[in-house]
Amino acid sequence: MKNVYISVVTPVYKCAECLDELYTRLIASLRSITNNFEIIMVDDGSPDNAWHIITSLATRDKRVKGIKLSRNFGQHYAITAGLDFAKGRWVVVMDADLQDQPEEIVKLYNKAQEGYDIVVGKRVERKDTFIKKITSKLFFTIYSYLTDTNIDGSISNFGIYSHKVINSIKSFKEHTRSFGLFAIWVGFKRIEIAIEHSNRKKGKSSYSIKKLFTLALDSIISHSDKPLKLFLTSGFMLSFLSFLYAIFLVIQFYIFSIPVTGWTSLMVSIYFLGGIIIACMGIIGLYLNKIYDEAKNRPLYIIAATTFKE
Ligand code: UDP
Ligand code: MG
């Protein structure tokens, strides 16, 4: 199928220096699959000269399509913007910082031809910082437990997705967005294959610990209602335990005539229960906040400019 149409969608933020190399390597890799492709680069309010580079690539080669968002919306919003314009029979989603290697697209595509709708890269050896690897592992362990799934941190966004998959993902209008998690949720025939992951060539990861924590919490709250259930169960457990404790105290008093002493235990239980009640309210608050966010129904991204006619 020399003429299959492939779209590559890549969000760009703080990695302008990588774009020329990304372009050259993408062209070489895509050419070996098809003559028919587009490369959609979404400038996610990048503070460097990314837009300048994207526009000059786009004037040189019409297959490069640039979309400039009005500010920094975040990686997953930028991906959403790109997908909305992608016309390919197959869509590749990848990072722009060359950690996802353009040459691997051939491998992903060939695997997809065996009859899969989703082929996602599994990073054999993640070339990220130690902190990033640890926090990611922790997140996926908690996430998998809370959502009854089994995902590990080696799965990336980097993959090839059929237009059926992309159309389903495009119907997701929710504001807490994670492309990788959506791609799991939609189902379809999916496989993960080993790929090389590379170090970030220029600049450093734009995800700070704080940003990662917010993303992790958001993803958990929007994909799982287990925290609510856990608190409900622990509430009942606590009541049951206190009932047992009450029986124990009554026996102590009437049978062994040990008077109830108790300033310390009283204080401890007040603070303990107070803490749990406040935490419960916090958790409910988080869910409520999510509902509020969704109810506002704002646009997912705003486009400031494109290099092509919409
Ligand atoms: N990115 C983005 N908007 C952001 C942060 C990141 O579009 O606010 C893009 C970035 O250009 C890159 C990808 O998301 O293509 C992954 O970002 P990064 O390399 O900073 O994170 P990491 O590789 O550490 O996950
Ligand atoms: Mg990166």
Side-chain angles (χ1 to χ4, degrees), residues 136-148 220 224:
S136 164
K137 204 172 164 63
L138 188 70
F139 166 70
F140 281 107
T141 313
I142 299 174
Y143 182 86
S144 296
Y145 167 71
L146 290 176
T147 54
D148 295 318
I220 287 171
S224 166

Side-chain angles (χ1 to χ4, degrees), residues 13 15 75 95-100 123 127-128 132 197-207:
Y13 182 70
C15 52
Q75 177 184 2
D95 287 358
D97 60 357
L98 294 170
Q99 284 196 274
D100 296 335
R123 300 172 277 204
K127 302 277 175 53
D128 278 316
K132 179 94 197 245
H197 191 227
S198 153
N199 288 316
R200 209 183 207 274
K201 296 249 164 55
K202 309 265 169 49
K204 60 177 187 359
S205 170
S206 50
Y207 282 97

Side-chain angles (χ1 to χ4, degrees), residues 10 19 28 34 48 54 61 65 70 81 91 140 179 182 192 206 219 221 228 255 271 280 285 296:
T10 184
L19 296 179
T34 173
D48 47 25
I54 294 174
D61 185 344
K65 295 176 181 162
S70 59
V91 177
F140 281 107
F179 177 75
F182 289 172
E192 284 138 21
S206 50
S219 304
I221 297 292
L228 293 171
I255 301 187
Y271 282 113
C280 273
K296 284 191 278 193

Side-chain angles (χ1 to χ4, degrees), residues 5 13 32 40 133 137 183 213 221 258:
Y5 195 36
Y13 182 70
S32 66
I40 304 181
K133 280 192 271 195
K137 204 172 164 63
F213 182 76
I221 297 292
I258 303 170

